[in-house]
Amino acid sequence: MAVLIYKSLPSTNTEAKKAGYRHGDAIIAREQTAGRGQRGNKWSAKAGENLTFSLVWEPTFLEAKRQFLLSEAVALALTDTLAKWNIRSKIKWTNDIYVGRNKICGILIEHDLGMEGKLARTIVGIGLNVNQKEFDEWVPNPTSMALVGKQQLDLNEVFQTLFDALEARYEQLQNSPEQIEREYDALLFRKGELHPFRLPNGKEFQGVIQGVKSTGELLIESEGMVVPYLFKEVEFVI
Ligand code: BTN
């Protein structure tokens, strides 16, 4: 288990995919020149002001069809960490971390499959906005720990707290996965409230989030019917 700190990398997730890294290794970059987000988006973060890192996990005990548990555990480690700085956050399915209507953290998880339907390797990429106060115009509704808490933070301290929280949640997901699912469900952004959603064809509808399935689909009730949506099958209208 090693923590490697780079001044600049294209993307810590891409770096972490290299074969030499093993379970528990963390790759931190002060700056990413080609940070990657979900849905093929870019991830933008000012150099030296935020946490941009990837963690290598080898969850070989976990069946690939249970991989959503890893997303849940990571999201909870983030809400745990923010709570240490008195920041109340929610999890916008699948795993954006929100404070109010603003995104404070993005997570990009990439899996490699192993033998017999099990996972081999998981790269957990985390972009947590810590001290940045001004963002590129194209970044939708961003915020940071400094903006919410009105104070500058020590990046090393935030990293260590988050690293410990990730380890604790990883252990919990092996011992009591039901607890992880319950807590994730309870912290879902906009759960139980009527809000607009958008389908891939651009059509919008009003619905109420009921929860998530253990396979990760978001359950939205609309016009008396509860429909499970896969990632990319629905998006929030914020
Ligand atoms: C998203 O919300 O779209 C996910 C953003 C994930 C960004 C992090 S920063 C560290 C790691 N390396 C990357 O290239 N991406 C992730």
Side-chain angles (χ1 to χ4, degrees), residues 10-14 32 34-39 41-43 51-54 96 103 105-108 125-127:
S11 151
T12 57
N13 263 40
T14 307
Q32 293 187 120
R36 296 191 284 116
Q38 291 186 22
R39 303 177 197 245
N41 292 327
K42 283 195 295 181
W43 183 254
L51 285 182
T52 45
F53 72 99
S54 301
D96 287 343
K103 178 163 165 173
C105 177
I107 300 168
L108 179 64
I126 296 178

Side-chain angles (χ1 to χ4, degrees), residues 36-94:
R36 296 191 284 116
Q38 291 186 22
R39 303 177 197 245
N41 292 327
K42 283 195 295 181
W43 183 254
S44 151
K46 273 197 198 151
E49 297 189 7
N50 306 292
L51 285 182
T52 45
F53 72 99
S54 301
L55 199 59
V56 178
W57 278 345
E58 293 174 337
T60 48
F61 58 90
L62 199 64
E63 291 188 67
K65 61 177 190 238
R66 300 285 282 139
Q67 62 183 251
F68 194 67
L69 263 177
L70 291 161
S71 289
E72 294 177 316
V74 172
L76 288 172
L78 261 309
T79 60
D80 295 342
T81 301
L82 291 167
K84 295 242 161 79
W85 275 272
N86 294 319
I87 298 174
R88 284 163 55 106
S89 55
K90 295 269 186 175
I91 304 162
K92 177 172 157 279
W93 178 84
T94 54

